[in-house]
Amino acid sequence: VTLCIAFAAGADILIAIFLTYLLVRKRSTTAFAKTASLLQRLTVFAVNTGIWTATFALLSLVLLQVYPTNLLYVVFGIPAASIYCNTFLANLNARSYIRGEALPHDDDVDLFASSASPLSDTIKTDRR
């Protein structure tokens, strides 16, 4: 169990460090402003997601080493799976922001308008 958690923590830390390093290095060598902006946003997301996953893996490893006979490490071990999933989904949801696109706003759509619903027309015609 200790070896598995140690490899997970090491992998999370190495991925976060190398991904951040490569993105920062490429951002400093690019001559295009849009590309530099995109790389900046990718760097922020790589750091944010890498910090959370690495922190939970490291805390789980530390608690396992400090309290080997206690199951206290599970406090950070079990939520680690949810952290992985949530950071993955956060990155998927942030794709339009990362690309620099504006978020879509549907100000024209009124979800609670009774006249826009075809069901309300059907109900009115059934009452005749």
Side-chain angles (χ1 to χ4, degrees), residues 10 16 25 27 35-36 42 49 52 54 60 86 93 116 120 125:
R25 190 178 80 183
R27 185 178 54 132
T35 303
L42 284 172
T49 57
W52 285 108
S60 181
N86 285 336
N93 287 334
S120 64
T125 57

Side-chain angles (χ1 to χ4, degrees), residues 44-89:
V44 168
F45 272 90
V47 168
N48 285 338
T49 57
I51 284 175
W52 285 108
T53 56
T55 301
F56 271 73
L58 276 176
L59 288 173
S60 181
L61 180 64
V62 167
L63 287 176
L64 181 62
Q65 292 300 314
V66 172
Y67 303 107
T69 59
N70 199 342
L71 291 176
L72 199 56
Y73 73 94
V74 175
V75 170
F76 292 104
I78 289 178
S82 296
I83 295 294
Y84 285 117
C85 291
N86 285 336
T87 56
F88 175 70
L89 291 174

Side-chain angles (χ1 to χ4, degrees), residues 17-31 35-36 39-40 43:
I17 288 172
F18 285 127
L19 188 59
T20 303
Y21 169 74
L22 290 172
L23 288 170
V24 168
R25 190 178 80 183
K26 288 295 179 185
R27 185 178 54 132
S28 65
T29 60
T30 186
T35 303
L39 290 172
Q40 173 65 31
T43 304

